[in-house]
Every structure is written in C-alpha cells, then in structure tokens.
C-alpha cells in the first residue's frame, strides 16, 4: 500500500506544493544551525543552490524525480508537473529552455550551477532526513484514510 500512496502523492501537485512549502519553512532553522545567520530557502535555493534542492527532492522521493536543467536553473519533474523551491512552476517556465538530465549527467550541471558553500551539504542532509520523515507521515495518513474508507465500504455491504 505504501507504493500506491507514494504514487498518489507523486501525482498530486497540491500535496507536492504543500510539501515544498513545509521544506521552505524548516530551512531557516537548519541554515541557522550551521551558519548562525538567518536566511530564507528561496533566496538560497533559487539563487545559486538549485541543484542541491533537486538532489533533496530526488532523495526524499526515492528517485521518482527527473532533473531538468537550463543555462542558469534546475527544476524537477515529479509526476507530470515541474517544481523548484518556489513550488509548482509549470506556468512560470518555458520548458524549451530546459533539457532533461539523467542522474549520471546531472553531476555536470551541479559542477556548473551549484555553489557548494554555506554548509549546503550538511543542510541538504538534514532536509533529506526531515523530508523523508515528513513523507512517511503523509503516506501513513493517506494509508489510514484508505483503510477507514475500506472499513466503511465493508460495513455497508
């Protein structure tokens, strides 16, 4: 049932959008933990660390993410929709500016675009850990809802 729930989540842009919003809200705590400065997630991941955010989503969603790279930015495709740190970006991008990269090819984009500073690796690790916990919580809630519906259906019969 976990695979079904993950598939449901991956194909529900509203859930992904809320998930990214939760990541952006927890980011300042992790940034402060390592840098003792305040910084928001959008200025960090939209202005220079977008490959790191793509790696975070890739790790959290167990590789069910595709990388799309332009000359200056990285977005991810989850299900049929595109996201970056700002959330759902289908209506904000010109997809013809982006090329899909495999995981192996993505390393070259990282070298070109990622800044690798400000303890970004440690922050990435913490966000992945937090994100996996959050994803498991969402899956558990979804599964509980499915079980309740099944029980109600069985009682009606």
């Amino acid at each position: 049932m976990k695979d079904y729930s993950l598939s449901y989540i991956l194909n529900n842009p509203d859930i992904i959008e809320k998930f990214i919003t939760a990541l952006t809200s927890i980011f300042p705590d992790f940034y402060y933990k390592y840098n003792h400065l305040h910084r928001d997630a959008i200025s960090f991941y939209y202005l220079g660390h977008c490959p790191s955010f793509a790696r975070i989503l890739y790790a959290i969603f167990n590789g069910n993410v595709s990388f799309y790279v332009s000359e200056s930015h990285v977005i991810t495709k989850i299900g049929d929709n595109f996201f970056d740190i700002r959330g759902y970006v289908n209506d904000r991008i010109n997809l013809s500016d982006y090329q899909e990269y495999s995981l192996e090819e993505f390393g070259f984009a990282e070298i070109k675009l990622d800044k690798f500073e400000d303890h970004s690796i440690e922050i990435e690790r913490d966000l992945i850990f937090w994100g996996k916990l959050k994803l498991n919580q969402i899956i558990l809630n979804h599964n509980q809802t499915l079980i309740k519906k099944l029980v109600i259906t069985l009682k009606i019969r």
Side-chain angles (χ1 to χ4, degrees):
M1 195 178 296
K2 184 175 180 177
D3 289 338
Y4 171 79
S5 293
L6 180 59
S7 177
Y8 172 79
I9 291 164
L10 294 172
N11 290 296
N12 190 324
D14 292 334
I15 294 174
I16 301 295
E17 180 95 24
K18 289 176 186 173
F19 189 86
I20 290 172
T21 299
L23 282 172
T24 61
S25 67
I26 196 69
F27 170 85
D29 295 338
F30 290 128
Y31 190 85
Y32 188 83
K33 174 182 171 182
Y34 294 105
N35 296 293
H36 306 291
L37 299 168
H38 296 283
R39 185 152 186 202
D40 68 286
I42 292 176
S43 71
F44 188 77
Y45 288 113
Y46 188 68
L47 303 172
H49 295 88
C50 51
S52 176
F53 190 70
R55 284 191 307 271
I56 290 167
L57 293 178
Y58 184 87
I60 291 170
F61 292 109
N62 302 316
N64 292 290
V65 170
S66 299
F67 303 110
Y68 282 75
V69 181
S70 74
E71 289 292 319
S72 60
H73 192 49
V74 175
I75 58 175
T76 57
K77 184 176 183 186
I78 304 173
D80 293 329
N81 298 289
F82 295 91
F83 300 89
D84 69 7
I85 190 63
R86 300 169 297 169
Y88 178 84
V89 294
N90 288 31
D91 55 351
R92 298 182 194 181
I93 61 163
N94 183 355
L95 193 54
S96 65
D97 293 340
Y98 290 83
Q99 177 182 347
E100 184 175 7
Y101 277 57
S102 68
L103 179 61
E104 295 77 25
E105 296 169 320
F106 188 62
F108 297 109
E110 292 176 295
I111 292 168
K112 178 181 173 188
L113 295 174
D114 208 339
K115 292 185 176 179
F116 291 109
E117 60 181 302
D118 302 314
H119 300 281
S120 58
I121 299 300
E122 293 92 341
I123 296 167
E124 185 176 316
R125 182 195 63 229
D126 288 352
L127 284 173
I128 290 169
F129 180 78
W130 183 89
K132 285 184 176 196
L133 291 175
K134 181 76 171 168
L135 180 62
N136 284 329
Q137 180 183 44
I138 291 169
I139 289 171
L140 179 63
N141 290 342
H142 184 254
N143 288 345
Q144 288 173 342
T145 301
L146 291 176
I147 291 168
K148 286 177 186 175
K149 287 179 182 178
L150 180 61
V151 168
I152 290 169
T153 304
L154 292 174
K155 284 182 178 179
I156 292 173
R157 291 183 181 177

